[in-house]
Amino acid sequence: MTNWRKAATVTASLTMVAALGACGSSAADSTTPAKSSAAPTSAAPASGEVTFWSFVKGSDAVAKAFNDSHPNITVKFETQAGGPDYYAKLSNAVKSGAVPDAAVAEYTRLPELVSLGAATDLTDTAGALVKDTFPESIQSLVNLGDKTWGIPRDAAPMMYYYRKDFFDANGLTPAKTWDEFKSLAGKVKAADANARAGAFLTGDANLLTDLSWQAGAKWFGTKGNAWTVDIDSAPSKKVADYWQGLVKDDLVKTYPMYADEFWQGVQKNEVMGYVCASWCAGGLKATVKDQSGKWAVAELPSWDGKSASAMWGGSSFIVPKGAKNPAAAAEFIKWITTDPTGIAAWYGTGASSMYPASPKLVDVAKKSFNTDFYGGQDIFAIGAKAYESVPAGWSWGPAMSATDKAIIDRLGVLTSGGSLSATLAEVQADSTKAMTARGLTVGK
């Protein structure tokens, strides 16, 4: 089976063309940091204070665990809000010089940070480590233009979370296909008029983006020395029309995000299932503790019944350009991404359910994350199947902040009577405009 972990990817060549040589007005006035800007290697042990920015659950516990085991380095953790505002804040910090020493960077946004000159070249410090630790496909998410810009922490395969107690009581099983899911959604509503088998988000671009990936779309690519953009594609339109149909027929509920309103629906027994990534298991467990033992995880439905998933997020850690203590920061992010003790620390609070990017560390995850909330189910086995079934060939664009905003600005048509699939051409136009504004060549 051809899958994203085994296939040769094109991300490195994409970012070579676009991320490193594209933008004339970067955060640091340099799209390709000089080799001297790389976090230095030194015979002397790294020491001193490291300021750490992250919105990832468990980051505070990981920083504490590092401090407890590394007396020469003190990590000062500063929690951040996620989403577009975080990346704007990080870019502005690089411009102003008030920059953290270590920071989280999701795979979706790393090419953009590199193109803006906001990341330090870690090739000398961590290039060999990344090569020896992670699958080629994960390496390609942080190795851009033959340089290493971040160290991967997790993969984020998407799965289906569902109320097993409700399903069992009503003779229901998770759907294997999206056609079956529509039927399942009708059965859930028939069993309880207030309950729904799924949710769609009107304030978050990820579901539309990642389910398009699952369906076989390839939004960004290269042809020669130019980028190609294919957001307004048949697979993406199919996904948009499908979910808009579920919303129109009142078979799924809409929520702005998986946040307060959504969690209220979960607590009121209105949400009986939803699509999310591997990291969502920890959030569900931590948020609705009183529903322990009632939830389970299944593979996503697919269009043809064969295993297929996509990645919602997944993160790496970087040393931002201009960090005051890059050597100590590099030691810190190595430990929290590749050391078994560091990986175990992510699970210490019980809130993190990340699927480690390194296959060698999955056993650490299984031992560290208590699955009693899921009735003792081996949720990492489901995650492994999902991880292996992500379609190959997907690449993130160099202006994903603009692409995400273009989608979010139009998700309101789900409930206003417009056509979501018809807006994809506008999203493509907005993305292309943002790319060309940065000096990128976009072909046809």
Side-chain angles (χ1 to χ4, degrees):
M1 177 178 67
T2 300
N3 61 58
W4 86 299
R5 296 181 65 191
K6 297 177 182 177
T9 61
V10 297
T11 307
S13 63
L14 291 176
T15 51
M16 177 66 138
V17 172
L20 298 180
C23 180
S25 56
S26 73
D29 295 326
S30 174
T31 59
T32 308
K35 187 174 183 180
S36 61
S37 70
T41 56
S42 173
S47 61
E49 185 174 277
V50 171
T51 302
F52 173 40
W53 283 11
S54 178
F55 51 78
V56 178
K57 290 183 183 297
S59 294
D60 53 344
V62 169
K64 182 180 184 303
F66 181 86
N67 287 336
D68 290 345
S69 58
H70 294 73
N72 293 329
I73 300 174
T74 300
V75 175
K76 180 184 177 184
F77 172 63
E78 297 181 3
T79 187
Q80 304 294 317
D85 289 346
Y86 165 75
Y87 292 100
K89 180 179 179 180
L90 181 58
S91 294
N92 288 335
V94 172
K95 292 177 184 178
S96 69
V99 63
D101 298 293
V104 64
E106 294 165 290
Y107 301 131
T108 56
R109 294 302 179 86
L110 184 57
E112 191 163 5
L113 289 172
V114 172
S115 75
L116 293 172
T120 297
D121 175 6
L122 298 177
T123 307
D124 292 344
T125 304
L129 176 72
V130 169
K131 181 178 180 180
D132 293 342
T133 305
F134 303 101
E136 182 181 348
S137 51
I138 287 288
Q139 292 178 40
S140 69
L141 298 176
V142 297
N143 287 346
L144 314 175
D146 297 325
K147 296 182 179 181
T148 298
W149 300 95
I151 304 179
R153 182 191 79 127
D154 66 320
M158 296 175 73
M159 301 178 286
Y160 180 64
Y161 294 79
Y162 68 101
R163 278 283 297 272
K164 189 174 186 299
D165 61 329
F166 180 90
F167 274 53
D168 289 348
N170 292 281
L172 304 174
T173 57
K176 298 293 186 183
T177 69
W178 288 117
D179 284 342
E180 291 176 4
F181 182 80
K182 182 176 182 179
S183 175
L184 170 66
K187 293 176 182 177
V188 168
K189 183 179 178 180
D192 182 338
N194 294 318
R196 297 294 183 273
F200 201 81
L201 305 181
T202 58
D204 192 304
N206 284 288
L207 280 179
L208 178 59
T209 303
D210 298 331
L211 291 175
S212 295
W213 178 357
Q214 188 217 22
K218 297 178 182 178
W219 283 10
F220 299 96
T222 56
K223 185 176 181 180
N225 291 323
W227 281 89
T228 59
V229 184
D230 192 21
I231 298 171
D232 186 29
S233 61
S236 303
K237 289 179 179 179
K238 178 170 66 173
V239 169
D241 287 338
Y242 174 82
W243 283 94
Q244 184 154 23
L246 293 180
V247 171
K248 181 180 179 182
D249 294 340
D250 193 27
L251 294 176
V252 299
K253 289 183 179 291
T254 59
Y255 299 93
M257 301 179 72
Y258 288 150
D260 293 346
E261 186 179 340
F262 171 78
W263 291 120
Q264 291 171 12
V266 173
Q267 291 168 335
K268 293 177 182 177
N269 298 316
E270 295 173 352
V271 177
M272 292 300 162
Y274 65 108
V275 172
C276 205
S278 51
W279 46 263
C280 302
L284 177 62
K285 173 183 173 181
T287 307
V288 287
K289 297 178 181 178
D290 59 327
Q291 293 185 6
S292 180
K294 297 181 178 181
W295 285 86
V297 182
E299 291 185 74
L300 281 188
S302 67
W303 291 100
D304 61 4
K306 299 177 182 178
S307 293
S309 187
M311 286 227 311
W312 181 343
S315 56
S316 66
F317 287 91
I318 66 170
V319 176
K321 184 73 174 295
K324 296 177 179 61
N325 196 350
E331 289 304 305
F332 171 60
I333 64 176
K334 287 178 185 178
W335 190 81
I336 66 175
T337 54
T338 64
D339 187 282
T341 304
I343 291 295
W346 286 105
Y347 304 97
T349 63
S352 178
S353 57
M354 69 167 184
Y355 190 96
S358 170
K360 296 178 181 179
L361 295 172
V362 174
D363 284 344
V364 175
K366 289 185 177 183
K367 294 175 182 177
S368 302
F369 185 79
N370 187 312
T371 59
D372 288 350
F373 183 89
Y374 297 94
Q377 181 187 14
D378 186 353
I379 63 173
F380 290 95
I382 305 298
K385 292 180 181 178
Y387 190 24
E388 290 286 350
S389 68
V390 176
W394 179 271
S395 298
W396 295 109
M400 286 306 301
S401 56
T403 301
D404 285 353
K405 183 180 185 302
I407 294 171
I408 292 169
D409 286 347
R410 292 167 175 83
L411 286 173
V413 302
L414 279 167
T415 55
S416 67
S419 168
L420 181 60
S421 64
T423 69
L424 292 174
E426 299 170 6
V427 174
Q428 179 161 320
D430 284 1
S431 298
T432 300
K433 182 178 179 180
M435 292 162 68
T436 56
R438 294 187 180 186
L440 307 179
T441 300
V442 181
K444 296 182 179 180

